[in-house]
Amino acid sequence: MPTAYLLLGSNLGNRAATLQAAVAELGRMAGSVTAASGLYETAAWGLTEQPAFLNQALEVQTSLSPAQLLAACLAAEQRAGRQRLVRWGSRTLDVDILLYDDLVLDTPALQLPHPRLPERRFALLPLAEIAATIVHPSLGCTVAELLAECSDTLAVTRL
């Protein structure tokens, strides 16, 4: 069964409760959540004039195809009240697929691995907690190595 790594994020409402509910829902919809990082708080990336985010990485064993997994992630976002009004804007829930086994995919709907993973400390830090030795299929280095080389200077604090 394929292994996917997801990143959850929330910066509106009760962020921790939203992430907790999303973990349960994704476990029902997408497969078995086999590992979860702690919660990390970080300043917003992209549009910086908004509340801080809580982020969490998940390892999911899934029988879903990448497209089906994306649909499950988008459905979880929608059920959490996500509205896509502004790119990188505030949101109740954001779910990104970071990695899906060693698959490299580039379609209009989905790019794997996530194209901005190497430049986002807020994604690499929680991912390294649960999957430090996983090798990025395009870059050939581990998540821990990507984190060590990441130039992102945003503070990311484990709660």
Side-chain angles (χ1 to χ4, degrees):
M1 193 174 301
T3 301
Y5 293 92
L6 309 178
L7 183 71
L8 310 181
S10 176
N11 75 336
L12 294 176
N14 186 334
R15 302 170 304 163
T18 298
L19 295 186
Q20 183 178 18
V23 171
E25 183 165 359
L26 288 164
R28 286 189 302 275
M29 295 173 53
S32 177
V33 176
T34 51
S37 73
L39 299 179
Y40 290 79
E41 187 168 59
T42 185
W45 187 95
L47 289 179
T48 58
E49 297 300 319
Q50 57 182 312
F53 277 83
L54 281 188
N55 294 107
Q56 182 175 34
L58 303 179
E59 177 185 81
V60 178
Q61 300 295 314
T62 186
S63 60
L64 300 180
S65 70
Q68 292 168 325
L69 181 58
L70 177 61
C73 294
L74 294 173
E77 289 178 354
Q78 187 174 31
R79 277 194 278 288
R82 169 87 187 257
Q83 295 182 17
R84 294 178 181 272
L85 303 175
V86 177
R87 185 175 188 190
W88 297 324
S90 294
R91 60 207 85 153
T92 53
L93 179 64
D94 184 43
V95 183
D96 288 332
I97 304 172
L98 301 177
L99 300 163
Y100 185 101
D101 276 345
D102 59 355
L103 182 64
V104 177
L105 180 70
D106 189 359
T107 70
L110 180 61
Q111 291 178 295
L112 293 170
H114 192 288
R116 287 172 295 285
L117 176 60
E119 59 197 54
R120 291 181 170 176
R121 185 172 171 77
F122 69 85
L124 288 167
L125 203 57
L127 182 60
E129 182 182 324
I130 62 170
T133 61
I134 296 297
V135 175
H136 188 287
S138 299
L139 302 176
C141 52
T142 67
V143 169
E145 291 168 334
L146 288 174
L147 179 59
E149 296 171 8
C150 183
S151 61
D152 180 3
T153 58
L154 281 180
V156 180
T157 306
R158 192 177 195 284
L159 301 183

